[in-house]
């Protein structure tokens, strides 16, 4: 099983506007022909009017929405002075922080659609809008933190928070809001002098443009490169991959005998795992690993170096030695050294495991009398690992895939969601989403079927859609609604995106695909089960090294469905052959269990190399004119003893987590950090003897999924587990002990 490294928002910034403007979507609408500006109250559940929205609507809508947002903030800044001695700060909390949380409702509304479209439906017209708006939106964000008089109000609220909490005038969530808003202002340069603020705004605007260009270059490479082959060229490949390749050829209007392999990971990895054609594996792998630099017109390494220099300047303005130091200040890990220590400890163990796995591959080749020129290369590893898996464990994942259709795994994740948290999913085929592939669900709970969320499920890869998987929101949960606002505006609209290769009739998933679907549902739960008063603290608006705990925790139930002898009923209910309806055989489950940890050394190295290089890269003190990012990658991996035959899962030229936004920059370690938490958290369920134990699930909902950022993440974990995290559960889970 590979480590699912999905995000909680589109890679073009996890900048879903709900994480940037923090406004509630209140009655923020005007009379207009622009569907983005009109009230959406005539739409089911106040969803965006998708069928009416076009690319040309965004720029004028943003003009209006940004002006309205600034007006909201100026009104807060000009409010009466705060009387700190009065109860509640002279009713200042709602007029300052409550109003700040509600501010920018129209911008949040427009921006939510924009953020989702630029990741899931980023047509050439939308890319033109994105290129135009990236620096404009960045300038707006900078201006929003520099409204005269606003920071002084925020700072006053921050300074009185402990006194007001101790006196009982504020509750803990209000005190936390005062703290988190203040920290954000400071990190956005609110304490800088005018000259520094100007420099900072320039840096942010330039970064926004470069990040957009970086993301669009990767998208263009993934859209434009294909490998057109015949069915004979697909010798060894499973039928579902052959079917998907034929479907891709049909969609691209190729010849009647053509098959197309794209650069989507859900096509690339199966082809590398099963194709007996080493030459084609090499061709595909080299293109896949060079995304972002496939054309002289798209040189992402140059763009990445420009970003590194800008980030260094950003950090220096804050008084930090490096961007890594700046990023880690607002994390659970607290310092690059702490993040790197975890990665280094795992790296040592993973290298031993990977070297052992390569020896097994080499022994297999010797036994078969085969010789590979140059030894085992990165385009060989997956292929021979599958050969060894079949020979040593008598397990071929293609035996399992017919039981893991997309429909079956979706039903399974909904069933687990219901068993753990009581959520029910009601499909609404009558509601039009932004693409025909997208399914819309009402999410209800309790004996009265109370509506708790809307859920959009966008599962297939397609042109103009970013690669990877992520959760985003069209609306974030809140209770802080302006007077007279329809309560529907506080109900979250959650959207999960995957990139599965669409079959011509049925879509079959690998086990890792299933893990990704469960992972994203964990993020979805974080949004749907959020129960916070203030949107600023709600849902996934948490520290980056905590945000992956809810998602990675959810992954465990798919493993349990597959291998846990105490829960065969759920597996038998859902894992049925897509053609015959046959229940997955017990013998197949046992063979899967025996092979489950094989090749985990490879998977851990692939990921950990990325996370280590990320921190090392952002810790550098200089990126001079001679700095060569490709050479740095090569030298660093050699210095760390990168096992032969493996490369980074994400090389710098297409590393969207790092360079399509700054959110995960010097933060890719968070997946492994969160794995320590999620493996420990899942052990709490196992220790009860029932992985669906109701009391543990309720405690998990209350402590992890519903609290957002209303409580410090360290305290949330302790409240659930009763102690600090224990790394031993993670090491056991990864087969590293």
């Amino acid at each position: 099983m590979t480590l699912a490294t999905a995000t909680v928002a589109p890679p073009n910034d996890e900048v879903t506007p709900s994480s940037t403007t923090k406004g509630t979507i209140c009655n923020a609408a005007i009379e207009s022909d622009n569907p983005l500006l009109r009230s959406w109250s005539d739409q089911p559940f106040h969803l965006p009017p998708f069928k009416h929205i076009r690319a040309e609507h965004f720029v004028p809508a943003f003009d209006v929405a940004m002006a309205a947002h600034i007006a909201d903030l100026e009104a807060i800044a000009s409010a009466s002075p705060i009387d700190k001695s009065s109860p509640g700060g002279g009713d200042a909390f709602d007029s300052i922080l409550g109003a700040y949380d509600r501010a920018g409702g129209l911008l949040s509304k427009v921006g939510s659609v924009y953020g989702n479209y630029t990741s899931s439906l980023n047509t050439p017209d939308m890319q033109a809008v994105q290129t135009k708006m990236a620096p404009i939106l960045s300038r707006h964000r900078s201006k929003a933190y520099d409204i005269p008089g606003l920071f002084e109000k925020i700072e006053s609220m921050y300074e009185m928070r402990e006194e007001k909490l101790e006196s009982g005038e504020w509750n803990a969530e209000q005190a936390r809001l005062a703290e988190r808003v203040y920290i954000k202002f400071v990190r956005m340069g609110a304490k800088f002098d005018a000259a520094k603020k100007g420099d900072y705004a320039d840096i942010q605007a330039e970064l926004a443009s470069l990040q957009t260009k970086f993301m669009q270059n990767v998208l263009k490479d993934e859209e434009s490169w294909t490998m057109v082959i015949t069915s004979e060229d697909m010798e060894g490949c499973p039928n579902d991959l052959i079917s998907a390749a034929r479907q891709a050829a049909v969609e691209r209007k190729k010849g009647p005998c053509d098959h197309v392999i794209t650069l989507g990971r859900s096509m690339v990895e199966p082809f590398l795992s099963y194709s007996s054609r080493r030459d084609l594996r090499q061709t595909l792998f080299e293109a896949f690993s060079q995304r972002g630099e496939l054309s002289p017109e798209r040189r992402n390494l140059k763009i990445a170096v420009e970003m590194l220099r800008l980030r260094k300047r950003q950090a220096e303005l804050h008084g930090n030695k490096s961007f890594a130091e700046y990023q880690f200040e607002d994390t659970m890990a607290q310092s690059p050294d702490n993040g790197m220590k975890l990665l280094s400890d795992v790296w040592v163990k993973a290298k031993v495991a990977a070297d052992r796995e390569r020896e097994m591959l080499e022994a297999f080749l010797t036994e078969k009398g085969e010789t590979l020129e140059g030894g085992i290369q990165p385009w060989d590893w997956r292929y021979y690992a599958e050969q060894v898996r079949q020979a040593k464990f008598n397990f071929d994942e293609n035996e399992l895939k017919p039981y893991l259709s997309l429909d079956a795994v979706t039903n399974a994740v909904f069933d687990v969601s219901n068993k753990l948290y009581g959520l029910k999913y009601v499909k609404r085929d009558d509601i039009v989403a932004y693409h025909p592939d997208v399914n819309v669900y009402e999410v209800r709970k309790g004996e009265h079927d109370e509506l708790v969320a809307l859920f959009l499920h966008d599962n297939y890869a397609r042109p103009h859609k970013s690669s990877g998987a992520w959760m985003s929101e069209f609306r974030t949960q809140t209770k802080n609604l302006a007077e007279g606002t329809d309560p529907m505006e506080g109900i979250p609209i959650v959207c999960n995106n995957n990139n599965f290769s669409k079959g011509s009739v049925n879509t079959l998933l690998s086990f890792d695909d299933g893990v990704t679907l469960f992972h994203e549902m964990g993020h979805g739960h974080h949004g749907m089960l959020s129960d916070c008063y203030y949107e600023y603290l709600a849902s996934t608006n948490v520290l980056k090294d905590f945000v992956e705990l809810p998602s990675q925790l959810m992954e465990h139930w798919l493993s349990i469905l597959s291998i846990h002898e105490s829960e065969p009923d759920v597996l038998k209910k859902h894992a049925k052959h897509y053609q015959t309806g046959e229940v997955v055989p017990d013998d197949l489950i046992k063979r899967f269990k025996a092979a489950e940890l094989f090749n985990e050394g490879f998977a851990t190295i692939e990921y950990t190399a990325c996370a280590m290089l990320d921190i090392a890269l952002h810790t550098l003190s200089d990126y001079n004119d001679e700095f060569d990012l490709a050479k740095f990658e090569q030298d660093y991996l050699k210095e760390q003893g990168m096992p032969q035959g493996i490369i980074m899962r994400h090389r710098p030229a297409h590393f969207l987590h790092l360079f399509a936004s700054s959110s995960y920059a010097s933060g890719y370690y968070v997946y492994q950090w969160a794995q320590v938490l999620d493996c420990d958290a899942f052990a709490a369920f196992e220790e009860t003897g029932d992985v669906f134990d109701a009391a543990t699930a309720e405690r998990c909902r209350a402590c992890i999924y519903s609290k957002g950022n209303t409580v410090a993440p360290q305290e949330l974990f302790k409240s659930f587990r009763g102690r600090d995290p224990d790394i031993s559960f993670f090491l056991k889970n990864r087969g590293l002990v």
Side-chain angles (χ1 to χ4, degrees), residues 227-353:
M227 186 168 70
V228 182
I229 55 180
T230 66
S231 58
E232 289 77 16
D233 294 326
M234 298 193 72
E235 182 181 353
C237 294
N239 290 333
D240 65 293
L241 178 59
I242 296 172
S243 174
R246 177 62 197 143
Q247 180 66 23
V250 170
E251 292 170 355
R252 288 159 177 79
K253 298 180 172 56
K254 300 297 182 182
C257 298
D258 290 334
H259 292 65
V260 166
I261 302 296
T262 71
L263 291 183
R265 190 176 290 274
S266 61
M267 266 197 168
V268 171
E269 291 191 352
F271 191 87
L272 294 175
S273 297
Y274 296 105
S275 172
S276 60
R277 289 280 302 274
R278 193 186 193 209
D279 58 330
L280 295 180
R281 295 201 310 268
Q282 181 176 356
T283 297
L284 178 61
F285 183 86
E286 288 179 345
F288 185 67
S289 64
Q290 292 170 21
R291 287 168 296 150
E293 48 184 343
L294 288 177
S295 167
E297 300 173 356
R298 298 186 290 277
R299 291 301 187 193
N300 270 0
L301 289 180
K302 181 180 178 181
I303 294 173
V305 172
E306 291 181 53
M307 279 193 270
L308 290 168
R309 291 171 181 150
L310 289 168
R311 288 171 179 171
K312 180 69 164 53
R313 286 175 54 198
Q314 176 187 352
E316 288 172 343
L317 286 173
H318 282 284
N320 297 111
K321 296 177 182 177
S322 68
F323 186 74
E325 184 178 271
Y326 167 74
Q327 285 287 77
F328 269 87
E329 281 182 344
D330 195 30
T331 64
M332 294 177 72
Q334 289 291 292
S335 75
D337 287 345
N338 290 339
M340 190 64 90
K341 183 181 185 305
L342 170 64
L343 297 172
S344 298
D345 289 347
V346 172
W347 178 255
V348 172
K349 295 178 174 64
K351 281 201 298 182
V352 173

Side-chain angles (χ1 to χ4, degrees), residues 1-4 346-347 349-358 360-361 381 385-386 389 393 397 511-512 515 555-556 559 592-609 643 646 649 672 675 679 729-737:
M1 181 197 320
T2 57
L3 178 66
V346 172
W347 178 255
K349 295 178 174 64
K351 281 201 298 182
V352 173
D355 286 340
R356 183 169 59 245
E357 290 161 3
R358 188 181 62 252
M360 293 173 67
L361 306 189
W381 191 296
E386 284 307 311
R389 195 192 310 271
F393 301 102
E397 187 166 34
F511 183 78
D512 284 347
V515 169
E555 294 175 21
H556 290 269
S559 300
F592 168 75
K593 179 178 179 179
E596 186 186 25
L597 292 179
F598 174 67
N599 217 33
E600 277 299 292
F602 167 85
T604 304
I605 287 290
E606 253 199 335
Y607 161 79
T608 309
I646 310 178
R649 185 171 178 82
Q672 203 159 90
Q675 271 207 317
C679 291
F729 296 101
F730 161 71
L731 294 174
K732 180 181 178 183
N733 175 268
R734 301 296 285 180
L736 299 176
V737 291

Side-chain angles (χ1 to χ4, degrees), residues 438-458:
V438 182
N439 292 321
V440 181
Y441 299 86
E442 300 173 24
V443 185
R444 296 187 174 273
K445 184 177 182 180
E447 58 184 52
H448 299 297
D449 282 342
E450 173 192 1
L451 181 71
V452 297
L454 278 300
F455 179 59
L456 280 63
H457 216 189
D458 185 353

Side-chain angles (χ1 to χ4, degrees), residues 10-294:
N12 60 313
D13 171 348
E14 299 151 50
V15 163
T16 52
S18 59
S19 65
T20 4
T21 59
K22 303 298 179 200
T24 58
I25 307 173
C26 52
N27 294 328
I30 60 175
E31 292 298 323
S32 172
D33 292 332
N34 190 322
L36 292 168
L37 295 175
R38 292 198 303 265
S39 169
W40 298 347
S41 59
D42 61 342
Q43 299 296 306
F45 309 104
H46 300 192
L47 282 158
F50 293 117
K51 64 182 178 181
H52 300 298
I53 296 171
R54 297 188 301 275
E56 60 264 30
H57 293 136
F58 284 97
V59 173
F62 270 126
D63 288 343
V64 173
M66 288 188 292
H69 184 212
I70 295 300
D72 287 347
L73 298 178
E74 288 175 340
I76 298 170
S78 62
S80 301
I82 298 171
D83 180 359
K84 296 183 181 181
S85 64
S86 299
D91 198 29
F93 191 94
D94 189 65
S95 63
I96 304 298
L97 287 173
Y100 183 79
D101 183 63
R102 293 187 295 268
L106 185 58
L107 182 58
S108 186
K109 175 179 172 179
V110 174
S112 69
V113 182
Y114 171 80
N116 281 278
Y117 272 44
T118 54
S119 56
S120 302
L121 202 66
N122 206 5
T123 62
D125 286 346
M126 276 305 304
Q127 290 181 44
V129 172
Q130 187 183 26
T131 299
K132 176 183 177 69
M133 289 305 305
I136 295 172
L137 288 171
S138 177
R139 294 284 182 187
H140 172 79
R141 284 193 293 272
S142 296
K143 184 178 180 180
Y145 288 99
D146 194 30
I147 302 294
L150 181 58
F151 178 62
E152 288 75 12
K153 292 254 187 340
I154 298 298
E155 189 171 36
S156 293
M157 301 298 283
Y158 171 76
E159 290 172 347
M160 70 171 71
R161 75 193 189 288
E162 292 182 358
E163 176 187 342
K164 296 301 180 183
L165 179 61
E166 187 175 341
S167 70
E169 296 169 56
W170 291 5
N171 60 36
E173 185 173 350
Q174 290 174 311
R176 180 71 172 173
L177 181 63
E179 176 186 349
R180 294 307 305 170
V181 172
Y182 172 80
I183 288 172
K184 183 64 174 179
F185 267 77
V186 171
R187 289 179 65 79
M188 287 298 294
K191 289 191 171 185
F192 293 163
D193 61 28
K196 280 189 175 181
K197 285 180 179 177
D199 288 346
Y200 202 76
D202 290 344
I203 289 170
Q204 294 298 309
E206 193 170 350
L207 279 170
S209 293
L210 290 171
Q211 288 164 180
T212 298
K213 185 64 175 175
F214 187 98
M215 186 207 72
Q216 290 183 358
N217 283 347
V218 175
L219 184 63
K220 185 66 175 177
D221 276 357
E222 291 177 344
E223 288 176 350
S224 58
W225 192 96
T226 57
M227 186 168 70
V228 182
I229 55 180
T230 66
S231 58
E232 289 77 16
D233 294 326
M234 298 193 72
E235 182 181 353
C237 294
N239 290 333
D240 65 293
L241 178 59
I242 296 172
S243 174
R246 177 62 197 143
Q247 180 66 23
V250 170
E251 292 170 355
R252 288 159 177 79
K253 298 180 172 56
K254 300 297 182 182
C257 298
D258 290 334
H259 292 65
V260 166
I261 302 296
T262 71
L263 291 183
R265 190 176 290 274
S266 61
M267 266 197 168
V268 171
E269 291 191 352
F271 191 87
L272 294 175
S273 297
Y274 296 105
S275 172
S276 60
R277 289 280 302 274
R278 193 186 193 209
D279 58 330
L280 295 180
R281 295 201 310 268
Q282 181 176 356
T283 297
L284 178 61
F285 183 86
E286 288 179 345
F288 185 67
S289 64
Q290 292 170 21
R291 287 168 296 150
E293 48 184 343
L294 288 177

